[in-house]
Amino acid sequence: MSTPHSTPFTAPFPSATIQGYPRIGAQRELKFALEALWSGRASEEDFLAASRALRIDTYARLRDAGLNEDYAIPADGAVYDHVLETALTVGVLGTHKEVSLAEEFTLARGNDAQPALEMTKWFDTNYHYLVPEIADGAVFIPRPERTLRLVEEARAAGHTIRPALVGPVTLLALSKQADGATSQPLEHLDALVESYRTVLAALADAGVEWVELTEPAVVADLAVADDATLAQHIAAAYAQILGAEQRPQVLVSTPYGAARAGLAALADAAPEALHVDLAVGTLAQEPDYVHRVASLRDIHLVAGLIDGRNVWAADLRTLRNTLEQLGDAVSVSTSTSLLHVPHTVAAETHLPVDVAPWLSFADEKVAEVVALAAGPLDAPEAYAQADRAVRTRAASERTHDAAVAARTAALPAGEVQRQPLYAERAETQKSLDIPLLPTTTIGSFPQTQEIRQTRAAHKAGEITAAEYEEALKDEVRAVVELQERLGLDVLVHGEPERNDMVQYFAELLDGFVVTDNGWVQSYGSRCTRPPLVVGDISRPRAMTVEWSAFAQSLSTKPVKGMLTGPVTILAWSFNRDDVPLSVSADQLGIALADEVHDLEQAGIDIIQIDEPALRELLPLREERRPEYLAWAVRAFRLAALDAKPTTQIHTHLCYSEFGQIIEAVAALDADVTSIEAARSRMELLADVDERFYSALGPGIYDIHSPRVPSVAEMAELIRAALRHFPLERLWVNPDCGLKTRGYAETEAALRNMVLARDEVRATVSVTV
Ligand code: GLN
Ligand code: ZN
């Protein structure tokens, strides 16, 4: 138990709050301000003014929406990433002097002289943070002025905000060792906590009465530390932080799941307030969590009842019951930051009329928090509206399609297995006449400015559907011709018709809706517009056959059909909360199986089903991973289940650390699997053993950079792959799709790739 702080702060914790709000702006103001600055169209002053205006505007909107108590509005001050912002504030990055805006963006984006910090996913969300690097003997020089400026700026506009930083345990748990370091980041916890104490003291001096430290590390089983170890770190760090004489009151938050040992450790450390994630999804996984939280004594609870990362209108009455179980004087909040949802449903003008009332984006969720805190007597209209949404959604034919239910009910339960097994299929597929060390690409070819403009013109009604189709066909012709010229063995149509590999299918499947303005920050200035799974999923008609068949008609070489897999479609969408994900996954599996069948009928012999997001949905808790992998693998296998033995099924995954799920990737039972491998220089193939019985295409060309790899370089990577993997089952391909590249570099790189393959093939056929 820590000694209480000496500063007599008395501001109570607000009764209603949130854990964070979208930073990007309702009109994506931050995105455009960043891009104007980076391109030199705007000055640093313009940028600072724009980002300040956006923050102040947000505070005013939140206050008007009912977050009108002091410290109800959290602020992280991030213009690029909140992990980067905290790292700069506590001196984990840029310790030499105060980091300028330009240097901050260099850390985030890199330049010719300095690579960018690595980027990775923030817990199990689609947000990417920058990974701080910690060297041996690191010193942390606190930079509280960053947060003080934020506080002053808000004050000047009449707002008393709650500064929010990533907590020290989470910050280190998510950092990585700098190159050559022998110490683990968490070994630096004591030193880092000193820096937090200085920052907090400065905030207290400035009269700040509440700060928030977010510690989601305690809800995950991380590779760097297990639950018990993290809890010990929490105990040590917060004894120091809360024992400081001069500090504001501290809210510790634990979004993204249920804390276990960490919950008890935090309760013992006794911050002035503790936030817990009580979202529907969290409680479904850990049903006794409400009970465990309710039994904590002497701590002000902040109940994260409104789901911060999904888009469904809350069942206010049920949540109000849960709130009452937690005791009196409990504050209400969101389960996570609202960073993960779009700004407002009000910006959507094309949603189906029955669906719109079911939805709740950031602004609607703020209203829900306020209504939940107020109670049904004070906010009767909000509760009545919530009741209607819950009732109409549950009864809708959109959510429960009898035909879909009949088809999934007829499926075998558990594991499904394509017949015959790989060895026999591989024999049969020799009829495809594919040469040794076959060359192919991952699917997309450069999405030129011209294609984008044509798509926009079509959407705006400026050109007819027929004109649009002609333009796309011209593109397919050019792509096929290019591949023929380069001598690739298995061709693709290039995917010019796809705006996005998930949205394209979502627009064609029943059970999804797409938004006009539902932008969500992915990282920095980059946003995605995830589709929404609103009900049972089915395929009204073929989705890709026309394009693949057209491309095949242009060549005697095989053209690969190109589908996005069930797990990836779900991972990059907002999902239902009324059925388990595995239900939607089965439905997608069947829909894709129908597409596979139609492609076969149209004469397509090779079909790729992309699953780049297979690892992204991996649960944060270890014991839940086998169950997830089981339904994920099953959904993929359903898509391929009835494929003819002669049909060669490919899959594609991209990220380098696939060691964690290598067994699941093998279990997909694809005939050919392409993976990202160039940047790790084939190192990951060391993990590949007999478990990987089928063919493999480790990428030999990093498509993330415009650099054209030389023939020698790629030949060396093929040889490196051959040291781990048999010649007869090795494919030659880039790391991923080429849609972000330009044509000049793509053509040069693919030419070198084919030459590298020829060079290696010439030597191996001599020695074999
Ligand atoms: N077929 C897709 C493409 O080439 C795969 C993209 C991905 O893996 N992210 O664009
Ligand atoms: Zn990829």
Side-chain angles (χ1 to χ4, degrees):
M1 193 63 79
S2 51
T3 44
H5 59 87
S6 62
T7 324
F9 285 141
T10 53
F13 194 81
S15 62
T17 186
I18 54 176
Q19 295 313 117
Y21 187 79
R23 295 187 286 250
I24 205 74
Q27 258 71 54
R28 285 183 289 159
E29 292 89 337
L30 180 61
K31 173 192 177 68
F32 299 123
L34 284 167
E35 289 171 358
L37 174 69
W38 296 337
S39 70
R41 278 179 284 123
S43 69
E44 222 169 76
E45 254 164 44
D46 297 336
F47 173 77
L48 291 173
S51 63
R52 177 189 167 281
L54 178 58
R55 283 190 294 272
I56 301 298
D57 211 62
T58 299
Y59 302 154
R61 186 142 34 107
L62 291 174
R63 180 183 55 199
D64 294 348
L67 298 184
N68 48 21
E69 299 158 280
D70 283 353
Y71 303 104
I73 298 173
D76 60 25
V79 291
Y80 194 98
D81 168 38
H82 55 270
V83 176
L84 176 62
E85 181 62 33
T86 295
L88 292 170
T89 305
V90 295
V92 162
L93 291 170
T95 47
H96 59 301
K97 62 172 170 40
E98 216 202 323
V99 166
S100 70
L101 198 60
E103 287 167 324
E104 178 174 348
F105 291 135
T106 302
L107 285 166
R109 309 171 66 229
N111 59 24
D112 289 345
Q114 186 184 332
L117 290 171
E118 194 179 303
M119 203 167 59
T120 195
K121 276 164 56 93
W122 172 249
F123 295 89
D124 55 350
T125 72
N126 283 326
Y127 177 78
H128 300 72
Y129 71 93
L130 293 163
V131 183
E133 294 176 9
I134 316 257
D136 290 345
V139 260
F140 307 115
I141 300 175
R143 300 289 175 195
E145 50 279 22
R146 299 183 74 91
T147 316
L148 291 171
R149 279 198 298 267
L150 191 68
V151 168
E152 287 312 324
E153 169 193 277
R155 268 186 194 155
H159 302 280
T160 305
I161 51 127
R162 178 175 83 238
L165 296 168
V166 177
V169 175
T170 298
L171 188 63
L172 290 179
L174 299 187
S175 295
K176 66 175 214 178
Q177 285 175 289
D179 265 351
T182 55
S183 59
Q184 293 299 324
L186 276 164
E187 291 171 38
H188 298 265
L189 186 59
D190 281 352
L192 182 61
V193 161
E194 271 312 309
S195 182
Y196 275 83
R197 283 166 53 111
T198 307
V199 171
L200 263 51
L203 289 171
D205 286 342
V208 173
E209 298 200 41
W210 281 99
V211 296
E212 173 168 349
L213 297 175
T214 191
E215 291 286 8
V218 299
V219 311
D221 290 329
L222 300 172
V224 291
D226 61 18
D227 201 54
T229 311
L230 281 174
Q232 285 165 10
H233 289 310
I234 287 281
Y238 284 87
Q240 286 304 306
I241 288 175
L242 299 171
E245 297 235 319
Q246 179 69 344
R247 65 171 176 87
Q249 301 171 93
V250 175
L251 162 70
V252 179
S253 60
T254 58
Y256 306 109
R260 293 181 182 168
L263 187 70
L266 278 169
D268 281 346
E272 283 71 23
L274 177 64
H275 160 274
V276 287
D277 175 342
L278 301 174
V280 175
T282 303
L283 298 182
Q285 288 175 16
E286 211 129 322
D288 73 333
Y289 199 43
V290 173
H291 181 75
R292 286 202 287 127
V293 167
S295 65
L296 299 177
R297 292 279 153 250
D298 303 323
I299 197 152
H300 182 83
L301 284 177
V302 180
L305 286 159
I306 299 297
D307 194 332
R309 52 200 297 203
N310 213 331
V311 290
W312 300 105
D315 179 352
L316 287 180
R317 233 169 274 278
T318 304
L319 296 183
R320 182 72 194 184
N321 285 340
T322 310
L323 181 63
E324 281 162 9
Q325 282 174 47
L326 295 171
D328 309 327
V330 172
S331 297
V332 175
S333 188
T334 52
S335 60
T336 69
S337 169
L338 296 172
L339 178 70
H340 310 297
V341 294
H343 267 81
T344 175
V345 182
E348 299 304 323
T349 46
H350 295 103
L351 288 174
V353 283
D354 57 327
V355 172
W358 303 346
L359 301 178
S360 173
F361 296 170
D363 286 353
E364 291 76 22
K365 284 173 188 289
V366 171
E368 288 174 341
V369 163
V370 171
L372 191 55
L377 292 179
D378 287 325
E381 189 39 50
Y383 283 77
Q385 191 186 321
D387 291 344
R388 268 196 307 278
V390 170
R391 207 176 48 238
T392 58
R393 184 175 158 216
S396 166
E397 271 175 33
R398 222 184 253 283
T399 45
H400 303 289
D401 180 330
V404 174
R407 281 194 75 185
T408 45
L411 290 174
E415 192 175 302
V416 293
Q417 172 67 55
R418 180 181 174 201
Q419 295 294 345
L421 299 186
Y422 171 75
E424 198 180 326
R425 296 197 305 264
E427 274 310 306
T428 324
Q429 289 164 18
K430 286 191 173 146
S431 64
L432 293 170
D433 229 7
I434 290 168
L436 197 62
L437 292 177
T439 51
T440 190
T441 62
I442 305 305
S444 58
F445 267 69
Q447 286 251 339
T448 56
Q449 197 59 29
E450 213 181 323
I451 302 175
R452 285 177 223 272
Q453 276 162 4
T454 312
R455 196 180 350 273
H458 175 234
K459 227 186 143 190
E462 290 156 16
I463 60 169
T464 65
E467 285 167 329
Y468 179 51
E469 195 162 313
E470 245 345 281
L472 293 177
K473 280 189 167 169
D474 284 345
E475 185 67 22
V476 172
R477 268 188 210 100
V479 167
V480 170
E481 200 177 284
L482 172 63
Q483 295 172 91
E484 296 255 15
R485 189 148 35 88
L486 292 169
L488 288 157
D489 299 312
V490 171
L491 312 192
V492 296
H493 77 283
E495 305 178 26
E497 78 286 10
R498 303 187 190 176
N499 41 5
D500 171 277
M501 66 185 288
V502 168
Q503 173 124 5
Y504 178 77
F505 289 94
E507 282 174 2
L508 295 171
L509 288 163
D510 283 350
F512 283 85
V513 302
V514 295
T515 65
D516 292 328
N517 289 297
W519 296 104
V520 175
Q521 188 179 22
S522 170
Y523 63 91
S525 67
R526 296 291 277 267
C527 302
T528 62
R529 201 155 39 104
L532 280 55
V533 185
V534 298
D536 286 343
I537 298 165
S538 62
R539 187 196 73 140
R541 65 193 71 83
M543 304 180 283
T544 65
V545 173
E546 205 190 318
W547 295 111
S548 294
F550 174 67
Q552 186 64 81
S553 74
L554 303 172
S555 177
T556 52
K557 290 193 169 167
V559 172
K560 262 196 290 196
M562 200 54 64
L563 305 176
T564 302
V567 181
T568 299
I569 292 182
L570 294 179
W572 295 346
S573 299
F574 286 113
N575 287 292
R576 298 171 69 172
D577 63 354
D578 57 341
V579 296
L581 262 184
S582 56
V583 169
S584 302
D586 267 16
Q587 295 170 354
L588 276 167
I590 301 180
L592 290 167
D594 290 350
E595 188 73 12
V596 166
H597 176 81
D598 288 351
L599 283 167
E600 285 179 330
Q601 295 297 304
I604 302 298
D605 295 329
I606 304 183
I607 301 170
Q608 179 171 309
I609 307 173
D610 290 323
E611 282 294 19
L614 183 63
R615 209 194 68 128
E616 292 188 13
L617 284 185
L618 202 65
L620 296 178
R621 290 295 185 194
E622 224 157 59
E623 82 269 6
R624 300 189 57 84
R625 291 177 194 163
E627 187 210 331
Y628 157 69
L629 289 171
W631 69 250
V633 165
R634 170 184 158 90
F636 181 92
R637 284 185 170 202
L638 283 174
L641 190 61
D642 297 323
K644 296 187 291 188
T646 44
T647 300
Q648 192 172 66
I649 298 288
H650 289 217
T651 190
H652 165 72
L653 292 96
C654 42
Y655 39 74
S656 29
E657 24 157 2
F658 91 134
Q660 220 181 352
I661 55 156
I662 191 159
E663 230 147 311
V665 178
L668 295 178
D669 192 36
D671 299 307
V672 183
T673 302
S674 63
I675 56 173
E676 175 180 325
R679 280 188 292 187
S680 72
R681 309 203 59 76
M682 301 291 144
E683 270 165 30
L684 77 175
L685 290 192
D687 294 334
V688 171
D689 51 28
E690 325 68 60
R691 283 174 300 179
F692 227 98
Y693 50 77
S694 54
L696 190 66
I700 59 164
Y701 147 36
D702 173 14
I703 57 85
H704 299 93
S705 129
R707 200 174 70 88
V708 173
S710 69
V711 176
E713 185 181 333
M714 287 195 273
E716 184 41 43
L717 286 179
I718 300 174
R719 287 194 199 94
L722 283 171
R723 288 195 279 276
H724 297 283
F725 206 76
L727 176 66
E728 316 73 57
R729 289 191 276 131
L730 191 69
W731 282 61
V732 173
N733 47 257
D735 267 343
C736 192
L738 300 163
K739 64 168 170 253
T740 55
R741 294 273 61 89
Y743 263 108
E745 76 240 27
T746 294
E747 186 168 344
L750 291 178
R751 175 171 302 111
N752 286 356
M753 183 179 93
V754 173
L755 290 173
R757 187 282 307 271
D758 291 348
E759 188 185 305
V760 176
R761 197 161 59 185
T763 55
V764 290
S765 49
V766 177
T767 51
V768 163

